[in-house]
Amino acid sequence: MSQTLLSRRQMLTSGSLGGAALVMSNLAFAQPPSYPPKKAARKLDEAALLAYLGASPQSLPNLPYAQDALEPVISARTVSIHYGKHHQAYFTNLHKLLADTPLANATLEQLILKSHGREDMEDVFNNAAQAWNHNFYWKSLSPVQTQPDERLSNAIVAKFGSVEALSKQLLSVSASQFGSGWGWLVVDDKHELAVVKTGNAETPFTRNGQLPLLTVDVWEHAYYLDYQNRRPDYLAETIAKKLNWTFASQNYARI
């Protein structure tokens, strides 16, 4: 083989390897596209949040059904004490805390947003948030069996696979709350359904715009007279038979 031909082959080979190396180098630094595309986090200002939550006065609302309407899942005795004693007490405490102050006529939602995370308003937050959570809880229950509407049902299937799968996750997450608290179905800041839990008086809407659709109460006073320490049994019965999916659907339609 001639020296000229050999040199030409060496140049071609060297050029091919150099080109390949350049391509591989470019690929190594290229960032693959995100798939599916990440959704931008929703940022809700206070006005938008209050528009969704509504305006709840500092007064005990009427129950949306008779005290025995949830039997046998939740007894009339439990509802009577839970609603008439515990729920009422939060409003009574608020009136004492806020009497003759500029906040005496503020809504529960305004009080919660103003007092959240402030040590000097911890008592206001606890009572206002518990009053609001209980308002929401009674509406989250129904004496009759209900189902999500088409729009919410489609969202549930897309996220969880089925209403049954969602129900199992709501039960599991709620039962796992250590101590007192709440289990929630929410729309999160990515516009997706999520199951979350909060401790004590905490509400999901103080968490960067999580919007609640329905809730279950896991404070002991919600179930102890009927189920003693069997929190999962109370949750299983309540979630399977007494959740107000019509209420959840109405909330979802406003988001």
Side-chain angles (χ1 to χ4, degrees):
M1 184 180 297
S2 70
Q3 186 65 35
T4 302
L5 182 58
L6 181 59
S7 298
R8 185 175 297 169
R9 286 182 177 176
Q10 288 174 337
M11 290 175 62
L12 289 173
T13 302
S14 176
S16 298
L17 291 176
L22 181 59
V23 171
M24 293 300 293
S25 176
N26 289 337
L27 288 174
F29 287 99
Q31 296 297 319
S34 175
Y35 187 83
K38 293 182 178 179
K39 296 181 179 178
R42 177 185 58 226
K43 298 295 183 182
L44 289 177
D45 59 23
E46 184 171 321
L49 188 54
L50 289 173
Y52 172 79
L53 297 172
S56 305
Q58 294 179 43
S59 57
L60 184 69
N62 293 327
L63 275 176
Y65 33 73
Q67 291 189 3
D68 63 354
L70 302 175
E71 290 188 335
V73 174
I74 302 174
S75 70
R77 184 182 179 209
T78 288
V79 173
S80 175
I81 296 173
H82 193 174
Y83 169 74
K85 301 294 184 181
H86 292 279
H87 195 180
Q88 175 64 71
Y90 302 124
F91 288 103
T92 301
N93 292 337
L94 270 181
H95 295 160
K96 293 177 180 178
L97 288 166
L98 301 176
D100 301 322
T101 74
L103 296 175
N105 295 315
T107 67
L108 296 181
E109 295 80 7
Q110 290 169 333
L111 291 173
I112 291 167
L113 294 177
K114 182 175 182 61
S115 61
H116 183 256
R118 289 182 52 173
E119 291 186 9
D120 62 325
M121 297 186 72
E122 184 177 5
D123 288 343
V124 172
F125 174 80
N126 285 337
N127 284 281
Q130 277 293 87
W132 192 93
N133 288 350
H134 279 83
N135 287 357
F136 201 78
Y137 171 66
W138 300 121
K139 293 177 183 178
S140 294
L141 303 179
S142 171
V144 299
Q145 199 87 22
T146 60
Q147 297 295 330
D149 68 7
E150 183 178 6
R151 181 169 180 264
L152 179 55
S153 181
N154 289 340
I156 290 171
V157 170
K159 177 68 176 184
F160 300 98
S162 66
V163 175
E164 291 74 20
L166 163 60
S167 297
K168 289 180 180 178
Q169 186 167 336
L170 181 60
L171 192 161
S172 176
V173 170
S174 302
S176 71
Q177 169 58 34
F178 184 78
S180 301
W182 303 83
W184 306 83
L185 175 64
V186 304
V187 174
D188 66 17
D189 64 339
K190 299 295 194 301
H191 308 267
E192 295 182 350
L193 296 179
V195 172
V196 300
K197 57 186 177 181
T198 61
N200 297 319
E202 282 292 337
T203 65
F205 61 80
T206 58
R207 296 177 168 185
N208 193 29
Q210 290 182 354
L211 301 180
L213 301 182
L214 55 75
T215 190
V216 287
D217 188 345
V218 293
W219 283 67
E220 285 190 343
H221 60 241
Y223 60 87
Y224 205 85
L225 291 177
D226 300 327
Y227 297 88
Q228 289 76 53
N229 64 333
R230 294 177 288 113
R231 177 191 281 183
D233 291 348
Y234 150 74
L235 288 168
E237 288 292 293
T238 301
I239 291 169
K241 300 175 182 177
K242 297 300 178 184
L243 285 187
N244 189 348
W245 288 108
T246 300
F247 176 61
S249 298
Q250 291 168 346
N251 290 329
Y252 191 60
R254 296 188 293 112
I255 297 175

